[in-house]
Amino acid sequence: MTKTLLVTGAAGFIGSNFVRMLVKRRESVKIIAFDKLTYAGNMANLADLLGDQVVFVKGDICDPAAVTKAIEDYRVDEIVHFAAESHVDRSILGSGPFVQTNVVGTQVLLDAARAKDITKFLYVSTDEVYGTLPEDQPDVKFTEETPLQPNSPYSASKAGGDVLVRSYFHTFNMPLLTTRCSNNYGPYHFPEKLIPLFVTNLMEGKQVPLYGDGKNVRDWLYVEDHCDAIWTVLQRGAFGEAYNVGGNNEMTNRQITETILKAMDKPWDQFVKYVQDRPGHDRRYAIDATKIKEHLGWEPKFRFDSAIKTTIQWYRDNEKWWRDIKSGDYLKYYDTQYAGR
Ligand code: NAD
Ligand code: TYD
């Protein structure tokens, strides 16, 4: 029998890529794409997918009636929970919406899932809940046993959701799963994050703002690999477990910047502007993804060298998509974030 999946945050970057992957692979699921359409949610990410298999419902995960109605109306079996406020810099400007959506919204969804006997619930967490790693000990990576020590209001709010999920498993024995993934890149990535911001700024002939000394390290994973890992955990993961997901691809922000500049044929001196660092900026993230490999057989398939080129080409081919975003409210945000920095 075809299952019905409620996908929260389905109009965002990773949520829409997840829905796209399931449709492309002809997975036998009906998808209820549930999204509030905040500044980061965009119907253009989903428009070509809507039809018999994918239905869109506009709603807020903090609204218990809206969540319950969607579950009842469509007889939802399983939930994949992506919806979140997701940008660290915005959480520094104001953490209220982060606590609301990422903590309270997750609690509302968990309660609704419990009341409606949802058969699986996957919480899309992040490696940022672990805090930061030393850069002089390359062998040290985040494992699932690493204590949660979030350093930004964003990661603290995601950790709040993460430990709520843990507590609902232990208290109510619910069918809960958690993934903690590293930084993603790929199509439909909102151009406030490092890679799409730098690519689109360069296409506009603008400089790229590199924070601090540019030596912070992230472990970059192509978005389709993350979506595949989420699907794998949803199919075969053990309830109550968290699974790290990573690309085995640690790079400094300078290396990322160099790669993008080279691919776009732009000189460093003219286009890179070092700007004041982000407060509380985590130095290094690195994922040990042994557990998901050994227990569930998942490994990344995409190589950074080619997937970053595919990504840049996507932004070249979809100028209207990002130019529509980089107008209006986005300009106000850009000014608040970067002017005088
Ligand atoms: P995004 O900001 O692109 O998308 C978030 C989506 O959630 C948007 O469509 C937005 O409209 C929706 N949303 C926000 N508040 C909502 C609410 N109250 N009710 C309903 N919908 C709401 O984020 P993303 O990069 O696609 O991240 C998705 C998830 O993956 C998040 O939970 C994030 O913490 C996690 N994650 C992201 C990364 C990454 O590199 N982007 C890495 C690891 C984990
Ligand atoms: P980001 O894409 O915001 O992801 P996260 O902070 O969640 O890892 O940032 C990735 C890295 O790039 C991070 O070390 C901060 C840095 N960065 C810049 O140097 N300049 C920028 O304008 C942005 C947005 C990020």
Side-chain angles (χ1 to χ4, degrees):
M1 204 185 74
T2 304
K3 280 189 209 153
T4 300
L5 216 60
L6 183 81
V7 180
T8 72
F13 164 47
I14 309 176
S16 66
N17 272 286
F18 180 71
V19 175
R20 188 168 296 279
M21 181 192 79
L22 297 185
V23 170
K24 194 170 86 182
R25 289 188 185 175
R26 298 175 185 273
E27 294 291 351
S28 167
V29 281
K30 175 150 177 118
I31 298 159
I32 313 306
F34 186 92
D35 201 294
K36 184 181 173 183
L37 298 180
T38 66
Y39 79 92
N42 188 344
M43 282 310 287
N45 299 359
L46 281 177
D48 61 315
L49 302 172
L50 300 181
D52 287 346
Q53 191 183 4
V54 183
V55 173
F56 179 73
V57 175
K58 185 171 187 305
D60 186 340
I61 57 162
C62 301
D63 176 353
V67 169
T68 303
K69 185 170 182 338
I71 294 174
E72 284 175 350
D73 285 357
Y74 295 99
R75 297 167 183 247
V76 169
D77 299 297
E78 302 180 359
I79 297 178
V80 182
H81 174 28
F82 292 94
E85 288 293 336
S86 69
H87 192 36
V88 172
D89 291 321
R90 286 188 193 250
S91 79
I92 296 167
L93 292 175
S95 60
F98 287 75
V99 174
Q100 195 56 32
T101 286
N102 301 359
V103 183
V104 177
T106 301
Q107 169 252 315
V108 168
L109 276 177
L110 285 167
D111 283 341
R114 181 166 172 244
K116 294 288 151 196
D117 291 324
I118 291 298
T119 55
K120 277 184 198 179
F121 180 115
L122 187 149
Y123 176 67
V124 182
S125 191
T126 163
D127 63 351
E128 302 193 27
V129 298
Y130 296 122
T132 189
L133 289 166
E135 60 190 325
D136 57 351
Q137 292 171 262
D139 293 343
V140 180
K141 299 185 179 197
F142 298 134
T143 73
E144 290 81 357
E145 309 310 318
T146 303
L148 305 196
Q149 291 183 318
N151 292 319
S152 73
Y154 161 68
S155 54
S157 65
K158 288 296 294 183
D162 193 309
V163 293
L164 264 178
V165 169
R166 179 190 154 86
S167 75
Y168 274 57
F169 174 74
H170 284 275
T171 306
F172 304 118
N173 196 25
M174 287 171 64
L176 305 177
L177 300 154
T178 299
T179 54
R180 299 190 186 125
C181 188
S182 59
N183 287 62
N184 288 206
Y185 64 98
Y188 301 98
H189 203 181
F190 195 87
E192 65 187 350
K193 307 279 169 63
L194 178 77
I195 289 180
L197 177 70
F198 281 21
V199 170
T200 57
N201 269 17
L202 292 173
M203 286 178 71
E204 292 175 298
K206 289 189 187 150
Q207 289 188 306
V208 297
L210 197 50
Y211 294 166
D213 62 4
K215 290 186 185 167
N216 299 66
V217 174
R218 299 291 184 265
D219 172 4
W220 292 93
L221 181 72
Y222 191 58
V223 64
E224 199 172 324
D225 271 328
H226 184 193
C227 294
D228 183 52
I230 289 169
W231 186 242
T232 302
V233 172
L234 192 69
Q235 301 314 301
R236 303 199 293 277
F239 294 149
E241 295 289 322
Y243 296 89
N244 279 354
V245 181
N248 244 328
N249 183 49
E250 282 181 61
M251 292 177 80
T252 64
N253 294 336
R254 279 199 207 183
Q255 287 171 314
I256 293 283
T257 307
E258 267 160 16
T259 307
I260 296 172
L261 286 168
K262 190 157 172 255
M264 300 184 70
D265 206 16
K266 304 276 188 199
W268 180 280
D269 292 344
Q270 197 182 335
F271 284 97
V272 177
K273 183 182 179 200
Y274 282 98
V275 299
Q276 193 188 353
D277 207 355
R278 169 190 284 173
H281 195 175
D282 284 336
R283 195 62 176 166
R284 173 174 164 248
Y285 300 147
I287 281 275
D288 177 340
T290 308
K291 178 174 170 180
I292 190 170
K293 183 177 174 190
E294 288 188 352
H295 292 210
L296 307 181
W298 179 89
E299 274 187 289
K301 295 189 184 71
F302 291 87
R303 286 180 48 90
F304 182 80
D305 303 354
S306 54
I308 188 69
K309 289 193 181 124
T310 311
T311 303
I312 294 171
Q313 191 57 42
W314 187 88
Y315 284 88
R316 287 195 176 113
D317 294 342
N318 291 275
E319 251 189 88
K320 180 169 163 38
W321 181 87
W322 59 263
R323 284 197 188 273
D324 283 352
I325 293 171
K326 283 185 128 182
S327 59
D329 283 348
Y330 180 94
L331 292 175
K332 281 187 231 153
Y333 162 76
Y334 199 82
D335 215 33
T336 313
Q337 193 59 251
Y338 295 101
R341 196 158 176 168

mmCIF file of all heavy atoms in Angstrom, residues 186-204:
data_model
loop_
_atom_site.group_PDB
_atom_site.id
_atom_site.type_symbol
_atom_site.label_atom_id
_atom_site.label_comp_id
_atom_site.label_asym_id
_atom_site.label_seq_id
_atom_site.Cartn_x
_atom_site.Cartn_y
_atom_site.Cartn_z
ATOM 1 N N GLY A 186 23.932 22.794 -3.225
ATOM 2 C CA GLY A 186 23.246 22.246 -4.393
ATOM 3 C C GLY A 186 22.190 23.211 -4.886
ATOM 4 O O GLY A 186 22.082 24.350 -4.405
ATOM 5 N N PRO A 187 21.353 22.774 -5.844
ATOM 6 C CA PRO A 187 20.292 23.614 -6.397
ATOM 7 C C PRO A 187 19.268 24.043 -5.345
ATOM 8 O O PRO A 187 19.041 23.319 -4.380
ATOM 9 C CB PRO A 187 19.610 22.713 -7.424
ATOM 10 C CG PRO A 187 20.594 21.655 -7.733
ATOM 11 C CD PRO A 187 21.425 21.460 -6.512
ATOM 12 N N TYR A 188 18.650 25.178 -5.565
ATOM 13 C CA TYR A 188 17.579 25.729 -4.704
ATOM 14 C C TYR A 188 18.078 26.160 -3.324
ATOM 15 O O TYR A 188 17.278 26.325 -2.409
ATOM 16 C CB TYR A 188 16.409 24.728 -4.542
ATOM 17 C CG TYR A 188 15.754 24.321 -5.827
ATOM 18 C CD1 TYR A 188 16.082 23.126 -6.454
ATOM 19 C CD2 TYR A 188 14.799 25.147 -6.442
ATOM 20 C CE1 TYR A 188 15.497 22.746 -7.647
ATOM 21 C CE2 TYR A 188 14.204 24.775 -7.644
ATOM 22 C CZ TYR A 188 14.559 23.575 -8.236
ATOM 23 O OH TYR A 188 13.974 23.211 -9.423
ATOM 24 N N HIS A 189 19.395 26.345 -3.158
ATOM 25 C CA HIS A 189 19.943 26.783 -1.869
ATOM 26 C C HIS A 189 19.752 28.293 -1.769
ATOM 27 O O HIS A 189 20.172 29.034 -2.653
ATOM 28 C CB HIS A 189 21.434 26.436 -1.830
ATOM 29 C CG HIS A 189 22.017 26.310 -0.464
ATOM 30 N ND1 HIS A 189 23.341 26.028 -0.259
ATOM 31 C CD2 HIS A 189 21.472 26.428 0.768
ATOM 32 C CE1 HIS A 189 23.595 25.964 1.037
ATOM 33 N NE2 HIS A 189 22.476 26.219 1.680
ATOM 34 N N PHE A 190 19.145 28.744 -0.696
ATOM 35 C CA PHE A 190 18.794 30.160 -0.553
ATOM 36 C C PHE A 190 20.073 31.022 -0.531
ATOM 37 O O PHE A 190 21.006 30.726 0.234
ATOM 38 C CB PHE A 190 18.005 30.364 0.747
ATOM 39 C CG PHE A 190 17.306 31.688 0.820
ATOM 40 C CD1 PHE A 190 16.029 31.847 0.294
ATOM 41 C CD2 PHE A 190 17.927 32.781 1.394
ATOM 42 C CE1 PHE A 190 15.378 33.076 0.357
ATOM 43 C CE2 PHE A 190 17.289 34.018 1.462
ATOM 44 C CZ PHE A 190 16.011 34.166 0.942
ATOM 45 N N PRO A 191 20.104 32.095 -1.329
ATOM 46 C CA PRO A 191 21.367 32.828 -1.500
ATOM 47 C C PRO A 191 21.757 33.750 -0.344
ATOM 48 O O PRO A 191 22.310 34.831 -0.563
ATOM 49 C CB PRO A 191 21.122 33.627 -2.789
ATOM 50 C CG PRO A 191 19.654 33.766 -2.877
ATOM 51 C CD PRO A 191 19.051 32.545 -2.240
ATOM 52 N N GLU A 192 21.519 33.289 0.885
ATOM 53 C CA GLU A 192 22.088 33.953 2.067
ATOM 54 C C GLU A 192 23.209 33.092 2.644
ATOM 55 O O GLU A 192 23.983 33.545 3.473
ATOM 56 C CB GLU A 192 21.008 34.161 3.148
ATOM 57 C CG GLU A 192 20.471 32.870 3.723
ATOM 58 C CD GLU A 192 19.287 33.033 4.664
ATOM 59 O OE1 GLU A 192 18.966 34.167 5.045
ATOM 60 O OE2 GLU A 192 18.672 31.996 4.997
ATOM 61 N N LYS A 193 23.263 31.813 2.216
ATOM 62 C CA LYS A 193 24.267 30.883 2.728
ATOM 63 C C LYS A 193 25.535 30.981 1.873
ATOM 64 O O LYS A 193 25.475 31.417 0.725
ATOM 65 C CB LYS A 193 23.721 29.441 2.697
ATOM 66 C CG LYS A 193 22.367 29.274 3.395
ATOM 67 C CD LYS A 193 22.506 29.154 4.889
ATOM 68 C CE LYS A 193 21.180 29.250 5.632
ATOM 69 N NZ LYS A 193 20.205 28.235 5.370
ATOM 70 N N LEU A 194 26.663 30.551 2.438
ATOM 71 C CA LEU A 194 27.968 30.804 1.819
ATOM 72 C C LEU A 194 28.017 30.531 0.298
ATOM 73 O O LEU A 194 28.301 31.450 -0.487
ATOM 74 C CB LEU A 194 29.054 29.980 2.524
ATOM 75 C CG LEU A 194 30.460 30.116 1.926
ATOM 76 C CD1 LEU A 194 31.122 31.420 2.326
ATOM 77 C CD2 LEU A 194 31.348 28.958 2.361
ATOM 78 N N ILE A 195 27.762 29.292 -0.103
ATOM 79 C CA ILE A 195 28.017 28.933 -1.498
ATOM 80 C C ILE A 195 27.079 29.684 -2.469
ATOM 81 O O ILE A 195 27.556 30.372 -3.382
ATOM 82 C CB ILE A 195 28.008 27.388 -1.687
ATOM 83 C CG1 ILE A 195 29.274 26.830 -1.017
ATOM 84 C CG2 ILE A 195 27.929 26.999 -3.166
ATOM 85 C CD1 ILE A 195 29.451 25.327 -1.084
ATOM 86 N N PRO A 196 25.752 29.630 -2.269
ATOM 87 C CA PRO A 196 24.903 30.358 -3.227
ATOM 88 C C PRO A 196 25.065 31.881 -3.152
ATOM 89 O O PRO A 196 24.910 32.563 -4.170
ATOM 90 C CB PRO A 196 23.484 29.933 -2.841
ATOM 91 C CG PRO A 196 23.580 29.440 -1.440
ATOM 92 C CD PRO A 196 24.955 28.859 -1.291
ATOM 93 N N LEU A 197 25.410 32.401 -1.965
ATOM 94 C CA LEU A 197 25.643 33.848 -1.848
ATOM 95 C C LEU A 197 26.852 34.245 -2.688
ATOM 96 O O LEU A 197 26.803 35.212 -3.470
ATOM 97 C CB LEU A 197 25.874 34.231 -0.379
ATOM 98 C CG LEU A 197 26.212 35.708 -0.150
ATOM 99 C CD1 LEU A 197 24.990 36.584 -0.409
ATOM 100 C CD2 LEU A 197 26.721 35.951 1.258
ATOM 101 N N PHE A 198 27.936 33.462 -2.564
ATOM 102 C CA PHE A 198 29.161 33.822 -3.275
ATOM 103 C C PHE A 198 28.974 33.650 -4.797
ATOM 104 O O PHE A 198 29.397 34.497 -5.576
ATOM 105 C CB PHE A 198 30.338 32.978 -2.755
ATOM 106 C CG PHE A 198 30.899 33.489 -1.438
ATOM 107 C CD1 PHE A 198 30.147 34.310 -0.595
ATOM 108 C CD2 PHE A 198 32.191 33.161 -1.042
ATOM 109 C CE1 PHE A 198 30.657 34.789 0.624
ATOM 110 C CE2 PHE A 198 32.722 33.641 0.164
ATOM 111 C CZ PHE A 198 31.955 34.449 0.997
ATOM 112 N N VAL A 199 28.335 32.560 -5.193
ATOM 113 C CA VAL A 199 28.132 32.320 -6.636
ATOM 114 C C VAL A 199 27.288 33.438 -7.252
ATOM 115 O O VAL A 199 27.638 34.008 -8.289
ATOM 116 C CB VAL A 199 27.470 30.938 -6.863
ATOM 117 C CG1 VAL A 199 27.017 30.777 -8.315
ATOM 118 C CG2 VAL A 199 28.424 29.816 -6.460
ATOM 119 N N THR A 200 26.202 33.796 -6.576
ATOM 120 C CA THR A 200 25.298 34.798 -7.175
ATOM 121 C C THR A 200 25.896 36.209 -7.069
ATOM 122 O O THR A 200 25.720 37.016 -7.984
ATOM 123 C CB THR A 200 23.884 34.741 -6.544
ATOM 124 O OG1 THR A 200 23.985 34.938 -5.126
ATOM 125 C CG2 THR A 200 23.211 33.411 -6.832
ATOM 126 N N ASN A 201 26.621 36.497 -5.982
ATOM 127 C CA ASN A 201 27.298 37.806 -5.914
ATOM 128 C C ASN A 201 28.268 37.948 -7.093
ATOM 129 O O ASN A 201 28.313 39.004 -7.746
ATOM 130 C CB ASN A 201 28.091 37.944 -4.607
ATOM 131 C CG ASN A 201 27.260 38.563 -3.487
ATOM 132 O OD1 ASN A 201 26.042 38.599 -3.579
ATOM 133 N ND2 ASN A 201 27.908 39.024 -2.442
ATOM 134 N N LEU A 202 29.021 36.891 -7.368
ATOM 135 C CA LEU A 202 29.989 36.962 -8.474
ATOM 136 C C LEU A 202 29.272 37.124 -9.811
ATOM 137 O O LEU A 202 29.725 37.871 -10.683
ATOM 138 C CB LEU A 202 30.884 35.719 -8.484
ATOM 139 C CG LEU A 202 31.843 35.615 -7.288
ATOM 140 C CD1 LEU A 202 32.570 34.268 -7.272
ATOM 141 C CD2 LEU A 202 32.866 36.759 -7.288
ATOM 142 N N MET A 203 28.135 36.466 -9.963
ATOM 143 C CA MET A 203 27.361 36.637 -11.211
ATOM 144 C C MET A 203 26.849 38.071 -11.345
ATOM 145 O O MET A 203 26.671 38.572 -12.447
ATOM 146 C CB MET A 203 26.191 35.635 -11.252
ATOM 147 C CG MET A 203 26.673 34.221 -11.535
ATOM 148 S SD MET A 203 25.333 33.025 -11.538
ATOM 149 C CE MET A 203 24.502 33.463 -13.054
ATOM 150 N N GLU A 204 26.643 38.724 -10.198
ATOM 151 C CA GLU A 204 26.200 40.127 -10.226
ATOM 152 C C GLU A 204 27.378 41.098 -10.309
ATOM 153 O O GLU A 204 27.184 42.312 -10.271
ATOM 154 C CB GLU A 204 25.404 40.447 -8.940
ATOM 155 C CG GLU A 204 24.067 39.740 -8.838
ATOM 156 C CD GLU A 204 23.401 40.001 -7.482
ATOM 157 O OE1 GLU A 204 23.973 39.610 -6.449
ATOM 158 O OE2 GLU A 204 22.310 40.603 -7.454
#
